[in-house]
Amino acid sequence: MITTFSGMPRWRPEDVNSAGEMIAARLEALGIPVTVHRPKLWLSVPLDASVTLAGERFRAKPPSSALSCPEGVTAKLVYLPAQKSSLRSYNKRASAFFGEAAGTDGEMRARLEGCILVTDGFGNPALTAIAEDWGAAGLIAINPGTDIHWGTCTTIWGSPDLDDISRKPRIPVAAVNHETGARLIAAAAEGAEATLRTEMQEGWFEQAIPVAEIRGAAEPEKFVLLHGHYDSWDVGVGDNATGDATMLECARLLWENRDSLHRSVRIAWWPGHSTGRYAGSTWFADAFAIDLDENCVMQVNCDSPGCRWATSYHQTTAMAETFPLVREVIETVAGQTPVFKRPNQAGDYSFNNIGLSSFFMLSSTMPDALREEKGYYAVSGCGGNIAWHTENDTLEIADRDVLKTDIGIYLLCIWTLATEPYLPVAWRGITAEFAATVARYAEAAGAELDLGPAAEAVAGLDAALEAFEAAVAGGRLAPVQANAVTTGLARILVPLNYTSAPRFAHDPAVTSHPLPAIEIVTRLDEFTGERRGFALTQALRGRNRTVAALRAATRLVEAATA
């Protein structure tokens, strides 16, 4: 699979479909039941881009969902340096990108309106939204190295609906390499103009979504969802042909041992990850929302495993309630204790608003010391290799030995979830996280908002969970009863901790802070005059949402142990 995909570019819709049919054929050859769904997804496919300065044309790449502007936009260049720590930020706060260089919105509009903003980093959604808010006519992102990285610049998650289509970027956006960027910075200092040109292919495209299902023996309606994308930028070996191969191998081994499965395992390969901002997984979340809500016990994402030099697990993506399971598996298979990171609002995590506990997005990565030794900057995949999202993500990025280890980790995690009578979820890990978050927010709020009710609700849930764990350990709750509580808690607590939009909707693709309904209290100093009152009103309503959800979770647990 990896060798085959290394010769197959997979970002144009017709090429993606060819790869999807190939995956389905491999599954059928193994005798594994597979369904190929063929929804129409909204895609934005980058074709070309350039920046012309003083008659000289420079190579560029447009991120998906940039405004298609083949005739070009000519405007004055304005350079605003970004903080190094923000180069991969998805935080829409301007201060997170530019620090003290960012003035008030009014000051920045006066400076940038009708101009092309030139800055450091990747042409990501939050940065594009900031440029639009400031009235910029276009955005040029200067990538840190010699290569130019593809990406996306929309905050819309998946195919847009009527409510979020208005967030589609309205300006052309392009990325250039460091060398071109230096020329543009010098030109901006002289007040020069440049022409930014982008060309996109956009519309609704039928795309193949292969989904394999390996039925469990005891509770076949309940299932674990293992998933990852099979589209890519160019041939995308480390992102994500290695993941596609990992899922295929897991499917093969689980199928051969299907008689031992208690629950089912559903394995899905997504198109539209790169050009549709997770359009494939979002369609699946929408089309099968009720089945996922009622029957999915957990989702596991598979992106960029098995890459060259990626021998460390110090940036392992997981939700807190899954830490013990993931830690035990990685220690068993890789002999390392992972360091966990909170899942970003990224990477086909299209199921947060339904409320699915989740782990992995990125698993193995390059040790920091090795990355620094190689002079690599931080990227969001390929195990830390800077071939990420470039034409250089070719066969040599895959590493057979690392891939074996990562396949072992994924397989053991899925096997445990599919075979253990009691779902291995540790909810008191999340109450510990909540308690720390509420304490931090309370300190920031001071006398402006009393978060005592939230702290009390967290403590009440933790006490109920302590009794619940004791009942499970003492055999006083059957697995079916305990697991119903576990999944019911996920439907309440995952949306509370990761989303602002309602259930079955999709949040924008920007950073989600813990307990986002009350996070605004950490930013009260940004609001003055009448707006401070608006912010406090929002915070009070957020507190109500938080307390109500925590109390509902507590009642669910207490009812099971009464």
Side-chain angles (χ1 to χ4, degrees):
M1 174 65 72
I2 295 173
T3 303
T4 301
F5 274 11
S6 71
M8 291 180 63
R10 301 184 306 286
W11 82 92
R12 292 179 183 267
E14 60 274 18
D15 296 332
V16 173
N17 279 332
S18 295
E21 299 295 347
M22 183 175 295
I23 291 169
R26 295 283 180 96
L27 291 164
E28 289 170 350
L30 292 168
I32 301 172
V34 57
T35 300
V36 181
H37 303 283
R38 303 183 190 279
K40 287 190 174 180
L41 309 177
W42 178 267
L43 304 179
S44 175
V45 183
L47 299 179
D48 194 18
S50 65
V51 177
T52 302
L53 175 67
E56 186 176 359
R57 180 167 168 163
F58 296 93
R59 187 173 68 95
K61 290 178 181 175
S64 68
S65 292
L67 178 69
S68 186
C69 193
E71 70 280 6
V73 169
T74 301
K76 178 183 174 182
L77 299 173
V78 176
Y79 172 64
L80 193 63
Q83 301 181 106
K84 185 176 180 181
S85 61
S86 74
L87 294 187
R88 291 187 300 153
S89 177
Y90 288 87
N91 191 325
K92 193 177 178 293
R93 295 169 62 186
S95 59
F97 282 96
F98 304 112
E100 295 180 359
T104 66
D105 283 347
E107 291 169 341
M108 299 313 294
R109 287 192 197 98
R111 183 177 175 187
L112 281 165
E113 191 163 9
C115 299
I116 296 173
L117 171 61
V118 180
T119 191
D120 312 284
F122 303 98
N124 68 36
L127 186 57
T128 302
I130 291 168
E132 282 191 351
D133 288 347
W134 287 343
L139 169 66
I140 301 173
I142 303 172
N143 289 179
T146 302
D147 295 323
I148 307 173
H149 299 266
W150 281 291
T152 189
C153 66
T154 182
T155 63
I156 298 172
W157 192 280
S159 297
D161 62 17
L162 293 174
D163 290 334
D164 51 30
I165 187 60
S166 61
R167 297 203 317 274
K168 187 182 185 302
R170 300 181 301 276
I171 59 174
V173 181
V176 298
N177 67 11
H178 184 73
E179 182 180 359
T180 299
R183 295 281 299 274
L184 297 177
I185 292 170
E190 297 174 357
E193 290 188 342
T195 299
L196 171 58
R197 186 184 65 83
T198 56
E199 186 178 355
M200 316 292 292
Q201 178 187 15
E202 292 187 331
W204 292 96
F205 297 89
E206 183 178 286
Q207 295 282 263
I209 299 181
V211 180
E213 180 146 16
I214 302 163
R215 302 280 285 175
E219 291 185 288
E221 74 283 0
K222 302 298 181 184
F223 65 94
V224 184
L225 176 62
L226 172 62
H227 63 97
H229 68 94
Y230 73 91
D231 65 319
S232 72
W233 295 116
D234 207 272
V235 299
V237 168
D239 186 11
N240 186 36
T242 53
D244 301 324
T246 295
M247 294 190 295
L248 190 64
E249 181 66 358
C250 286
R252 183 185 70 83
L253 292 168
L254 290 167
W255 177 251
E256 290 179 354
N257 295 276
R258 59 191 178 278
D259 292 344
S260 299
L261 297 182
H262 184 89
R263 302 174 191 90
S264 299
V265 179
R266 201 169 291 178
I267 306 176
W269 286 259
W270 309 128
H273 170 96
S274 299
T275 56
R277 196 59 164 155
Y278 320 125
S281 57
T282 303
W283 174 84
F284 191 85
D286 295 340
F288 298 98
I290 304 307
D291 187 21
L292 289 160
D293 182 29
E294 295 179 350
N295 294 311
C296 186
V297 300
M298 196 168 294
Q299 69 100 345
V300 183
N301 184 239
C302 187
D303 201 336
S304 297
C307 291
R308 178 181 63 182
W309 306 319
T311 57
S312 176
Y313 297 86
H314 71 285
Q315 292 184 354
T316 300
T317 301
M319 294 183 180
E321 64 270 24
T322 72
F323 285 179
L325 166 65
V326 177
R327 182 184 297 114
E328 181 178 356
V329 168
I330 291 178
E331 287 177 345
T332 299
V333 177
Q336 296 185 39
T337 299
V339 177
F340 294 110
K341 66 185 292 291
R342 176 182 169 85
N344 297 329
Q345 181 71 354
D348 281 304
Y349 266 54
S350 300
F351 309 95
N352 289 348
N353 294 73
I354 294 176
L356 303 187
S357 293
S358 311
F359 59 88
F360 294 151
M361 180 187 305
L362 306 180
S363 49
S364 60
T365 192
M366 198 179 300
D368 285 342
L370 179 60
R371 182 170 62 83
E372 292 171 7
E373 177 186 320
K374 292 182 176 297
Y376 285 0
Y377 45 86
V379 294
S380 299
C382 276
N385 287 269
I386 56 174
W388 171 78
H389 283 199
T390 74
E391 304 90 336
N392 299 324
D393 184 10
T394 51
L395 192 56
E396 67 272 13
I397 298 301
D399 183 287
R400 186 180 298 272
D401 291 334
V402 176
L403 185 61
K404 281 183 179 179
T405 300
D406 284 346
I407 289 173
I409 288 169
Y410 273 95
L411 186 61
L412 183 54
C413 283
I414 299 299
W415 182 262
T416 303
L417 288 168
T419 58
E420 288 291 326
Y422 291 95
L423 289 170
V425 180
W427 280 113
R428 293 189 73 197
I430 204 66
T431 53
E433 180 186 310
F434 283 171
T437 299
V438 170
R440 178 162 54 89
Y441 289 176
E443 183 179 0
E448 297 274 23
L449 182 70
D450 180 14
L451 288 180
E456 291 171 7
V458 171
L461 175 58
D462 187 67
L465 286 169
E466 184 177 18
F468 172 74
E469 289 181 356
V472 171
R476 297 190 298 277
L477 280 179
V480 171
Q481 295 173 289
N483 294 340
V485 173
T486 292
T487 54
L489 285 171
R491 304 306 182 259
I492 299 170
L493 299 181
V494 170
L496 180 66
N497 200 23
Y498 287 92
T499 73
S500 297
R503 291 192 73 210
F504 305 110
H506 297 278
D507 273 44
V510 294
T511 295
S512 169
H513 298 276
L515 295 176
I518 54 174
E519 181 271 338
I520 194 171
V521 299
T522 68
R523 300 185 280 116
L524 292 177
D525 59 352
E526 297 179 9
F527 304 95
T528 57
E530 293 178 340
R531 285 178 57 78
R532 192 172 186 86
F534 302 151
L536 287 169
T537 300
Q538 183 172 322
L540 178 58
R541 292 169 181 170
R543 187 190 73 182
N544 294 340
R545 176 197 172 191
T546 302
V547 171
L550 291 168
R551 289 182 177 177
T554 302
R555 289 192 295 271
L556 174 66
V557 177
E558 288 176 340
T561 54

